[in-house]
Amino acid sequence: MARRWLAALGLGLWLGSALAAPLLLDVRTPAEFAEGHLPGAVSLPLDRLPADITRLAPDKNGLVRVYCHSGRRSALATQQLQQLGYRQVQDLGGMAAAAQTLQQTP
C-alpha cells in the first residue's frame, strides 16, 4: 500500500512539474526590466540569481526559460541554474531572439 502511495505521489509530482507553466526569467538589471520586458517575464537580475531562485522556482524539475539583453547574461544564468541542480533550463539568448522564439512582442 505504501509503495503504491509513493508511486502515485512521485507520478503526481512529475505530472505537476510537466504541466506547470514555464518560468520566464529576465536576468537584466531592474532598470532594464522597467524599460520593457517580455509578457509574463519575472525580473531576477543575474547577481541575485543564486540567492533568490528557489523562491521563484522551488521545483528543480520545472522548465525555466532565461533571457537578457544580448545573450551573455542568459548564458551565465543558464550555467548557474544547471550548477544549482535545475534540470530543464532553456537559454533564449537576447530579448529579440527570446521574443521570436516565444513569438511575442518585446
Side-chain angles (χ1 to χ4, degrees):
M1 182 76 169
R3 282 187 182 179
R4 281 191 219 164
W5 181 81
L6 289 174
L9 176 64
L11 180 61
L13 290 173
W14 179 82
L15 283 174
S17 295
L19 299 175
L23 174 62
L24 181 59
L25 283 184
D26 183 325
V27 294
R28 300 175 303 151
T29 66
E32 289 173 303
F33 185 82
E35 289 176 6
H37 55 273
L38 296 178
V42 175
S43 176
L44 182 55
L46 182 61
D47 63 342
R48 296 293 314 151
L49 185 84
D52 294 344
I53 187 61
T54 55
R55 178 179 51 84
L56 294 172
D59 180 5
K60 293 185 177 184
N61 293 313
L63 177 58
V64 180
R65 293 175 164 164
V66 185
Y67 76 92
C68 63
H69 176 73
S70 67
R72 185 182 63 82
R73 287 174 283 183
S74 65
L76 293 171
T78 297
Q79 289 176 343
Q80 287 183 18
L81 288 166
Q82 290 170 338
Q83 289 171 351
L84 291 168
Y86 287 86
R87 294 174 184 87
Q88 295 188 68
V89 183
Q90 183 180 13
D91 181 358
L92 298 176
M95 193 159 133
Q100 186 174 8
T101 298
L102 301 172
Q103 297 181 349
Q104 296 181 347
T105 304

